[in-house]
Amino acid sequence: MADKLGKEGLITKLYNGFQLLMDKEKGVSTLESLRQNAAVVGLHDFSGDEIAEMVKEGSGW
C-alpha cells in the first residue's frame, strides 16, 4: 500500500482513518468512540471485548 500511495498518501490515509475513530469532543480515540465507530472501518463483527483487546495491544498496556 505504501508503494502505491507513496509516503504522503499513506500518512493521509492513516490520518483520515484515525479521524473516523476518534471522539470528536475529546480529540482522541477512546474505547467508547472505537465501539461506536467500529462499523465505519469494517469492524462491525468485533465484540466490545475484542475492540478493548486491540486497544490494549496497541497501547502496550
Short mmCIF file of all heavy atoms in Angstrom, two decimals:
data_model
loop_
_atom_site.label_atom_id
_atom_site.label_comp_id
_atom_site.label_asym_id
_atom_site.label_seq_id
_atom_site.Cartn_x
_atom_site.Cartn_y
_atom_site.Cartn_z
N MET A 1 0.83 -1.19 0.00
CA MET A 1 0.00 0.00 0.00
C MET A 1 0.87 1.26 0.00
O MET A 1 0.56 2.23 -0.67
CB MET A 1 -0.93 -0.02 1.20
CG MET A 1 -1.95 1.06 1.20
SD MET A 1 -3.18 0.67 2.45
CE MET A 1 -4.04 2.17 2.55
N ALA A 2 1.94 1.22 0.78
CA ALA A 2 2.84 2.38 0.84
C ALA A 2 3.46 2.66 -0.52
O ALA A 2 3.63 3.81 -0.90
CB ALA A 2 3.92 2.17 1.88
N ASP A 3 3.79 1.60 -1.25
CA ASP A 3 4.37 1.79 -2.59
C ASP A 3 3.36 2.44 -3.53
O ASP A 3 3.72 3.30 -4.33
CB ASP A 3 4.81 0.44 -3.17
CG ASP A 3 6.03 -0.11 -2.47
OD1 ASP A 3 6.77 0.67 -1.84
OD2 ASP A 3 6.25 -1.33 -2.56
N LYS A 4 2.12 2.03 -3.42
CA LYS A 4 1.08 2.56 -4.30
C LYS A 4 0.75 4.01 -3.98
O LYS A 4 0.62 4.84 -4.88
CB LYS A 4 -0.18 1.70 -4.19
CG LYS A 4 -1.30 2.13 -5.09
CD LYS A 4 -2.50 1.22 -4.94
CE LYS A 4 -3.65 1.71 -5.78
NZ LYS A 4 -4.86 0.92 -5.58
N LEU A 5 0.60 4.33 -2.69
CA LEU A 5 0.17 5.67 -2.28
C LEU A 5 1.33 6.65 -2.11
O LEU A 5 1.12 7.86 -2.15
CB LEU A 5 -0.59 5.59 -0.96
CG LEU A 5 -1.90 4.81 -0.97
CD1 LEU A 5 -2.44 4.70 0.45
CD2 LEU A 5 -2.91 5.46 -1.88
N GLY A 6 2.50 6.12 -1.84
CA GLY A 6 3.62 7.00 -1.51
C GLY A 6 3.54 7.39 -0.04
O GLY A 6 2.54 7.18 0.63
N LYS A 7 4.60 7.96 0.46
CA LYS A 7 4.67 8.32 1.87
C LYS A 7 3.56 9.29 2.28
O LYS A 7 2.87 9.07 3.26
CB LYS A 7 6.04 8.93 2.16
CG LYS A 7 6.27 9.31 3.58
CD LYS A 7 7.67 9.90 3.77
CE LYS A 7 7.86 10.42 5.16
NZ LYS A 7 9.18 11.04 5.33
N GLU A 8 3.40 10.35 1.53
CA GLU A 8 2.38 11.37 1.86
C GLU A 8 0.98 10.78 1.79
O GLU A 8 0.13 11.04 2.65
CB GLU A 8 2.49 12.56 0.91
CG GLU A 8 3.79 13.32 1.01
CD GLU A 8 3.89 14.13 2.29
OE1 GLU A 8 2.88 14.69 2.74
OE2 GLU A 8 5.00 14.19 2.84
N GLY A 9 0.71 9.99 0.77
CA GLY A 9 -0.60 9.39 0.61
C GLY A 9 -0.94 8.43 1.73
O GLY A 9 -2.07 8.40 2.23
N LEU A 10 0.04 7.64 2.15
CA LEU A 10 -0.17 6.70 3.24
C LEU A 10 -0.45 7.43 4.55
O LEU A 10 -1.36 7.08 5.29
CB LEU A 10 1.03 5.77 3.40
CG LEU A 10 0.94 4.73 4.51
CD1 LEU A 10 -0.25 3.81 4.29
CD2 LEU A 10 2.23 3.93 4.60
N ILE A 11 0.32 8.47 4.82
CA ILE A 11 0.10 9.25 6.04
C ILE A 11 -1.28 9.88 6.03
O ILE A 11 -1.98 9.89 7.04
CB ILE A 11 1.21 10.31 6.21
CG1 ILE A 11 2.53 9.60 6.55
CG2 ILE A 11 0.85 11.33 7.29
CD1 ILE A 11 3.74 10.49 6.55
N THR A 12 -1.71 10.38 4.89
CA THR A 12 -3.05 10.97 4.77
C THR A 12 -4.13 9.93 5.04
O THR A 12 -5.09 10.20 5.76
CB THR A 12 -3.24 11.60 3.38
OG1 THR A 12 -2.26 12.63 3.21
CG2 THR A 12 -4.63 12.17 3.20
N LYS A 13 -3.98 8.74 4.47
CA LYS A 13 -4.96 7.66 4.69
C LYS A 13 -5.02 7.28 6.16
O LYS A 13 -6.11 7.12 6.72
CB LYS A 13 -4.61 6.42 3.87
CG LYS A 13 -4.92 6.53 2.42
CD LYS A 13 -6.39 6.31 2.20
CE LYS A 13 -6.67 6.20 0.71
NZ LYS A 13 -8.07 6.23 0.42
N LEU A 14 -3.88 7.14 6.80
CA LEU A 14 -3.86 6.79 8.22
C LEU A 14 -4.50 7.89 9.07
O LEU A 14 -5.29 7.62 9.97
CB LEU A 14 -2.42 6.55 8.68
CG LEU A 14 -1.76 5.28 8.17
CD1 LEU A 14 -0.28 5.28 8.50
CD2 LEU A 14 -2.44 4.05 8.72
N TYR A 15 -4.16 9.13 8.76
CA TYR A 15 -4.73 10.27 9.49
C TYR A 15 -6.25 10.27 9.37
O TYR A 15 -6.97 10.43 10.36
CB TYR A 15 -4.14 11.57 8.96
CG TYR A 15 -4.75 12.80 9.56
CD1 TYR A 15 -4.36 13.25 10.81
CD2 TYR A 15 -5.74 13.52 8.88
CE1 TYR A 15 -4.93 14.38 11.38
CE2 TYR A 15 -6.32 14.65 9.44
CZ TYR A 15 -5.91 15.07 10.69
OH TYR A 15 -6.49 16.18 11.24
N ASN A 16 -6.75 10.08 8.15
CA ASN A 16 -8.20 10.07 7.93
C ASN A 16 -8.87 8.93 8.68
O ASN A 16 -9.97 9.09 9.21
CB ASN A 16 -8.51 10.00 6.44
CG ASN A 16 -8.17 11.28 5.72
OD1 ASN A 16 -8.07 12.34 6.31
ND2 ASN A 16 -7.96 11.18 4.42
N GLY A 17 -8.20 7.78 8.73
CA GLY A 17 -8.75 6.65 9.48
C GLY A 17 -8.86 6.95 10.96
O GLY A 17 -9.87 6.65 11.59
N PHE A 18 -7.83 7.56 11.52
CA PHE A 18 -7.87 7.91 12.93
C PHE A 18 -8.94 8.98 13.19
O PHE A 18 -9.59 8.96 14.24
CB PHE A 18 -6.51 8.38 13.42
CG PHE A 18 -5.56 7.24 13.67
CD1 PHE A 18 -4.47 7.04 12.84
CD2 PHE A 18 -5.75 6.37 14.73
CE1 PHE A 18 -3.60 6.00 13.06
CE2 PHE A 18 -4.89 5.32 14.96
CZ PHE A 18 -3.80 5.13 14.12
N GLN A 19 -9.14 9.89 12.26
CA GLN A 19 -10.18 10.90 12.41
C GLN A 19 -11.56 10.26 12.50
O GLN A 19 -12.41 10.71 13.25
CB GLN A 19 -10.14 11.89 11.24
CG GLN A 19 -8.93 12.79 11.23
CD GLN A 19 -8.92 13.76 12.38
OE1 GLN A 19 -9.89 14.45 12.64
NE2 GLN A 19 -7.82 13.81 13.09
N LEU A 20 -11.77 9.19 11.73
CA LEU A 20 -13.06 8.49 11.76
C LEU A 20 -13.31 7.83 13.12
O LEU A 20 -14.46 7.72 13.55
CB LEU A 20 -13.10 7.40 10.68
CG LEU A 20 -13.21 7.86 9.25
CD1 LEU A 20 -13.06 6.66 8.31
CD2 LEU A 20 -14.55 8.54 9.00
N LEU A 21 -12.26 7.39 13.77
CA LEU A 21 -12.41 6.62 15.01
C LEU A 21 -12.38 7.44 16.29
O LEU A 21 -12.80 6.98 17.33
CB LEU A 21 -11.29 5.57 15.08
CG LEU A 21 -11.32 4.50 14.00
CD1 LEU A 21 -10.08 3.64 14.08
CD2 LEU A 21 -12.57 3.66 14.09
N MET A 22 -11.91 8.66 16.21
CA MET A 22 -11.74 9.42 17.44
C MET A 22 -13.02 10.05 17.96
O MET A 22 -13.98 10.25 17.24
CB MET A 22 -10.67 10.49 17.27
CG MET A 22 -11.08 11.68 16.48
SD MET A 22 -9.68 12.83 16.43
CE MET A 22 -10.53 14.36 16.32
N ASP A 23 -12.99 10.33 19.25
CA ASP A 23 -14.06 11.07 19.92
C ASP A 23 -13.87 12.52 19.52
O ASP A 23 -12.85 13.14 19.83
CB ASP A 23 -13.93 10.90 21.43
CG ASP A 23 -14.99 11.64 22.21
OD1 ASP A 23 -15.23 12.83 21.94
OD2 ASP A 23 -15.57 11.03 23.12
N LYS A 24 -14.83 13.09 18.81
CA LYS A 24 -14.68 14.45 18.26
C LYS A 24 -14.56 15.51 19.35
O LYS A 24 -13.86 16.49 19.17
CB LYS A 24 -15.86 14.80 17.34
CG LYS A 24 -16.09 13.82 16.21
CD LYS A 24 -14.91 13.69 15.29
CE LYS A 24 -15.24 12.78 14.15
NZ LYS A 24 -14.28 11.75 13.87
N GLU A 25 -15.22 15.31 20.49
CA GLU A 25 -15.15 16.30 21.56
C GLU A 25 -13.81 16.26 22.30
O GLU A 25 -13.28 17.30 22.67
CB GLU A 25 -16.29 16.06 22.56
CG GLU A 25 -17.66 16.37 21.98
CD GLU A 25 -18.78 16.06 22.96
OE1 GLU A 25 -18.51 15.86 24.16
OE2 GLU A 25 -19.93 16.02 22.52
N LYS A 26 -13.27 15.06 22.48
CA LYS A 26 -12.02 14.91 23.22
C LYS A 26 -10.79 15.01 22.32
O LYS A 26 -9.69 15.27 22.79
CB LYS A 26 -11.99 13.57 23.95
CG LYS A 26 -13.04 13.48 25.03
CD LYS A 26 -12.99 12.14 25.73
CE LYS A 26 -14.08 12.08 26.80
NZ LYS A 26 -14.11 10.78 27.45
N GLY A 27 -10.97 14.76 21.03
CA GLY A 27 -9.85 14.83 20.10
C GLY A 27 -8.92 13.63 20.14
O GLY A 27 -7.80 13.70 19.64
N VAL A 28 -9.36 12.55 20.75
CA VAL A 28 -8.58 11.31 20.83
C VAL A 28 -9.50 10.12 20.60
O VAL A 28 -10.72 10.23 20.73
CB VAL A 28 -7.87 11.15 22.20
CG1 VAL A 28 -6.85 12.24 22.43
CG2 VAL A 28 -8.88 11.11 23.33
N SER A 29 -8.91 8.99 20.30
CA SER A 29 -9.69 7.76 20.19
C SER A 29 -9.86 7.17 21.58
O SER A 29 -8.89 7.04 22.32
CB SER A 29 -8.99 6.75 19.29
OG SER A 29 -8.96 7.20 17.96
N THR A 30 -11.07 6.86 21.93
CA THR A 30 -11.37 6.24 23.21
C THR A 30 -11.99 4.88 22.94
O THR A 30 -12.42 4.59 21.82
CB THR A 30 -12.36 7.09 24.02
OG1 THR A 30 -13.61 7.14 23.32
CG2 THR A 30 -11.84 8.50 24.27
N LEU A 31 -12.07 4.06 23.96
CA LEU A 31 -12.70 2.76 23.79
C LEU A 31 -14.15 2.94 23.32
O LEU A 31 -14.61 2.24 22.42
CB LEU A 31 -12.64 1.97 25.09
CG LEU A 31 -13.18 0.55 25.05
CD1 LEU A 31 -12.52 -0.27 23.95
CD2 LEU A 31 -13.01 -0.12 26.39
N GLU A 32 -14.82 3.90 23.89
CA GLU A 32 -16.22 4.15 23.50
C GLU A 32 -16.33 4.63 22.06
O GLU A 32 -17.20 4.20 21.31
CB GLU A 32 -16.86 5.16 24.45
CG GLU A 32 -18.35 5.33 24.22
CD GLU A 32 -19.15 4.04 24.39
OE1 GLU A 32 -18.78 3.19 25.20
OE2 GLU A 32 -20.17 3.90 23.68
N SER A 33 -15.44 5.53 21.63
CA SER A 33 -15.51 6.01 20.25
C SER A 33 -15.18 4.89 19.27
O SER A 33 -15.75 4.81 18.19
CB SER A 33 -14.61 7.22 20.03
OG SER A 33 -13.25 6.88 20.07
N LEU A 34 -14.26 4.00 19.64
CA LEU A 34 -13.96 2.85 18.79
C LEU A 34 -15.16 1.93 18.67
O LEU A 34 -15.49 1.45 17.59
CB LEU A 34 -12.76 2.08 19.34
CG LEU A 34 -11.42 2.80 19.24
CD1 LEU A 34 -10.35 2.01 19.98
CD2 LEU A 34 -11.02 2.99 17.79
N ARG A 35 -15.83 1.69 19.80
CA ARG A 35 -17.04 0.84 19.76
C ARG A 35 -18.12 1.47 18.88
O ARG A 35 -18.77 0.78 18.10
CB ARG A 35 -17.57 0.63 21.17
CG ARG A 35 -16.75 -0.33 21.99
CD ARG A 35 -17.36 -0.52 23.36
NE ARG A 35 -16.56 -1.45 24.12
CZ ARG A 35 -16.42 -1.42 25.43
NH1 ARG A 35 -17.03 -0.49 26.14
NH2 ARG A 35 -15.69 -2.32 26.04
N GLN A 36 -18.31 2.76 19.01
CA GLN A 36 -19.36 3.45 18.25
C GLN A 36 -19.05 3.51 16.77
O GLN A 36 -19.96 3.47 15.94
CB GLN A 36 -19.56 4.87 18.79
CG GLN A 36 -20.17 4.91 20.15
CD GLN A 36 -20.23 6.33 20.71
OE1 GLN A 36 -19.65 7.26 20.16
NE2 GLN A 36 -20.92 6.48 21.82
N ASN A 37 -17.78 3.62 16.41
CA ASN A 37 -17.40 3.82 15.01
C ASN A 37 -16.82 2.58 14.35
O ASN A 37 -16.35 2.65 13.22
CB ASN A 37 -16.40 4.97 14.92
CG ASN A 37 -17.00 6.26 15.40
OD1 ASN A 37 -18.09 6.64 15.01
ND2 ASN A 37 -16.29 6.95 16.29
N ALA A 38 -16.86 1.44 15.02
CA ALA A 38 -16.25 0.22 14.51
C ALA A 38 -16.79 -0.17 13.14
O ALA A 38 -16.04 -0.58 12.25
CB ALA A 38 -16.43 -0.92 15.50
N ALA A 39 -18.08 -0.04 12.93
CA ALA A 39 -18.68 -0.44 11.66
C ALA A 39 -18.17 0.40 10.49
O ALA A 39 -18.08 -0.09 9.36
CB ALA A 39 -20.20 -0.36 11.74
N VAL A 40 -17.81 1.64 10.76
CA VAL A 40 -17.33 2.54 9.71
C VAL A 40 -16.07 1.99 9.04
O VAL A 40 -15.87 2.17 7.85
CB VAL A 40 -17.05 3.95 10.29
CG1 VAL A 40 -16.40 4.86 9.27
CG2 VAL A 40 -18.32 4.57 10.83
N VAL A 41 -15.24 1.30 9.82
CA VAL A 41 -13.98 0.78 9.28
C VAL A 41 -13.99 -0.74 9.12
O VAL A 41 -12.96 -1.37 9.00
CB VAL A 41 -12.77 1.22 10.14
CG1 VAL A 41 -12.58 2.72 10.06
CG2 VAL A 41 -12.93 0.77 11.57
N GLY A 42 -15.19 -1.32 9.11
CA GLY A 42 -15.32 -2.75 8.86
C GLY A 42 -15.11 -3.65 10.06
O GLY A 42 -14.87 -4.84 9.90
N LEU A 43 -15.21 -3.11 11.25
CA LEU A 43 -15.05 -3.91 12.46
C LEU A 43 -16.40 -4.23 13.12
O LEU A 43 -16.44 -4.54 14.30
CB LEU A 43 -14.15 -3.19 13.47
CG LEU A 43 -12.74 -2.87 13.00
CD1 LEU A 43 -11.99 -2.09 14.07
CD2 LEU A 43 -11.98 -4.13 12.65
N HIS A 44 -17.48 -4.19 12.37
CA HIS A 44 -18.81 -4.39 12.94
C HIS A 44 -19.01 -5.77 13.55
O HIS A 44 -19.87 -5.95 14.38
CB HIS A 44 -19.89 -4.09 11.90
CG HIS A 44 -19.73 -4.86 10.63
ND1 HIS A 44 -18.86 -4.46 9.65
CD2 HIS A 44 -20.30 -6.00 10.20
CE1 HIS A 44 -18.91 -5.33 8.65
NE2 HIS A 44 -19.77 -6.28 8.97
N ASP A 45 -18.22 -6.76 13.15
CA ASP A 45 -18.36 -8.11 13.69
C ASP A 45 -17.54 -8.30 14.97
O ASP A 45 -17.62 -9.35 15.58
CB ASP A 45 -17.92 -9.15 12.66
CG ASP A 45 -18.89 -9.23 11.48
OD1 ASP A 45 -20.07 -8.86 11.65
OD2 ASP A 45 -18.46 -9.62 10.39
N PHE A 46 -16.78 -7.29 15.36
CA PHE A 46 -15.96 -7.41 16.56
C PHE A 46 -16.78 -7.09 17.79
O PHE A 46 -17.57 -6.15 17.80
CB PHE A 46 -14.77 -6.44 16.50
CG PHE A 46 -13.65 -6.90 15.60
CD1 PHE A 46 -13.86 -7.11 14.25
CD2 PHE A 46 -12.39 -7.11 16.11
CE1 PHE A 46 -12.84 -7.52 13.42
CE2 PHE A 46 -11.35 -7.51 15.30
CZ PHE A 46 -11.58 -7.73 13.95
N SER A 47 -16.57 -7.87 18.86
CA SER A 47 -17.26 -7.60 20.12
C SER A 47 -16.55 -6.47 20.85
O SER A 47 -15.41 -6.11 20.51
CB SER A 47 -17.24 -8.85 21.00
OG SER A 47 -15.93 -9.11 21.47
N GLY A 48 -17.21 -5.93 21.85
CA GLY A 48 -16.59 -4.88 22.67
C GLY A 48 -15.31 -5.37 23.32
O GLY A 48 -14.34 -4.63 23.42
N ASP A 49 -15.30 -6.64 23.74
CA ASP A 49 -14.10 -7.20 24.36
C ASP A 49 -12.95 -7.30 23.35
O ASP A 49 -11.79 -7.05 23.69
CB ASP A 49 -14.38 -8.58 24.95
CG ASP A 49 -15.25 -8.53 26.19
OD1 ASP A 49 -15.35 -7.44 26.82
OD2 ASP A 49 -15.85 -9.56 26.54
N GLU A 50 -13.26 -7.65 22.11
CA GLU A 50 -12.22 -7.74 21.08
C GLU A 50 -11.64 -6.36 20.75
O GLU A 50 -10.43 -6.22 20.58
CB GLU A 50 -12.79 -8.38 19.81
CG GLU A 50 -13.08 -9.86 19.98
CD GLU A 50 -13.83 -10.45 18.81
OE1 GLU A 50 -14.82 -9.84 18.34
OE2 GLU A 50 -13.43 -11.54 18.36
N ILE A 51 -12.49 -5.35 20.72
CA ILE A 51 -12.02 -3.99 20.47
C ILE A 51 -11.15 -3.53 21.65
O ILE A 51 -10.10 -2.94 21.45
CB ILE A 51 -13.19 -3.03 20.21
CG1 ILE A 51 -13.86 -3.40 18.88
CG2 ILE A 51 -12.73 -1.58 20.21
CD1 ILE A 51 -15.13 -2.65 18.59
N ALA A 52 -11.58 -3.83 22.87
CA ALA A 52 -10.80 -3.47 24.05
C ALA A 52 -9.43 -4.15 24.02
O ALA A 52 -8.41 -3.53 24.37
CB ALA A 52 -11.55 -3.84 25.32
N GLU A 53 -9.38 -5.40 23.58
CA GLU A 53 -8.11 -6.11 23.48
C GLU A 53 -7.20 -5.48 22.44
O GLU A 53 -5.99 -5.37 22.63
CB GLU A 53 -8.36 -7.58 23.15
CG GLU A 53 -7.12 -8.43 23.17
CD GLU A 53 -6.44 -8.51 24.53
OE1 GLU A 53 -7.12 -8.38 25.57
OE2 GLU A 53 -5.21 -8.67 24.57
N MET A 54 -7.78 -5.02 21.32
CA MET A 54 -6.99 -4.34 20.30
C MET A 54 -6.38 -3.06 20.86
O MET A 54 -5.21 -2.75 20.60
CB MET A 54 -7.85 -4.02 19.07
CG MET A 54 -8.19 -5.22 18.26
SD MET A 54 -9.32 -4.99 16.87
CE MET A 54 -9.32 -3.29 16.49
N VAL A 55 -7.16 -2.31 21.61
CA VAL A 55 -6.66 -1.07 22.22
C VAL A 55 -5.54 -1.41 23.20
O VAL A 55 -4.49 -0.75 23.21
CB VAL A 55 -7.80 -0.30 22.93
CG1 VAL A 55 -7.25 0.84 23.77
CG2 VAL A 55 -8.81 0.18 21.93
N LYS A 56 -5.76 -2.44 23.99
CA LYS A 56 -4.76 -2.86 24.97
C LYS A 56 -3.44 -3.24 24.28
O LYS A 56 -2.38 -2.81 24.68
CB LYS A 56 -5.30 -4.03 25.78
CG LYS A 56 -4.41 -4.49 26.88
CD LYS A 56 -5.09 -5.62 27.64
CE LYS A 56 -4.17 -6.19 28.70
NZ LYS A 56 -4.80 -7.33 29.40
N GLU A 57 -3.52 -4.02 23.22
CA GLU A 57 -2.33 -4.43 22.49
C GLU A 57 -1.64 -3.24 21.82
O GLU A 57 -0.42 -3.14 21.83
CB GLU A 57 -2.68 -5.48 21.43
CG GLU A 57 -3.01 -6.83 22.01
CD GLU A 57 -3.35 -7.85 20.95
OE1 GLU A 57 -2.92 -7.70 19.79
OE2 GLU A 57 -4.07 -8.80 21.27
N GLY A 58 -2.43 -2.35 21.25
CA GLY A 58 -1.87 -1.21 20.54
C GLY A 58 -1.22 -0.19 21.46
O GLY A 58 -0.29 0.52 21.07
N SER A 59 -1.69 -0.11 22.69
CA SER A 59 -1.15 0.88 23.61
C SER A 59 -0.03 0.35 24.47
O SER A 59 0.63 1.12 25.18
CB SER A 59 -2.27 1.41 24.50
OG SER A 59 -2.73 0.37 25.36
N GLY A 60 0.18 -0.95 24.45
CA GLY A 60 1.26 -1.53 25.24
C GLY A 60 0.93 -1.66 26.72
O GLY A 60 1.82 -1.76 27.55
N TRP A 61 -0.35 -1.68 27.07
CA TRP A 61 -0.76 -1.80 28.49
C TRP A 61 -0.31 -3.10 29.04
O TRP A 61 -0.35 -4.13 28.67
CB TRP A 61 -2.26 -1.69 28.65
CG TRP A 61 -2.80 -0.32 28.43
CD1 TRP A 61 -2.11 0.85 28.34
CD2 TRP A 61 -4.17 0.05 28.26
NE1 TRP A 61 -2.96 1.89 28.13
CE2 TRP A 61 -4.23 1.44 28.08
CE3 TRP A 61 -5.35 -0.65 28.26
CZ2 TRP A 61 -5.41 2.11 27.91
CZ3 TRP A 61 -6.53 0.03 28.08
CH2 TRP A 61 -6.55 1.40 27.90
#
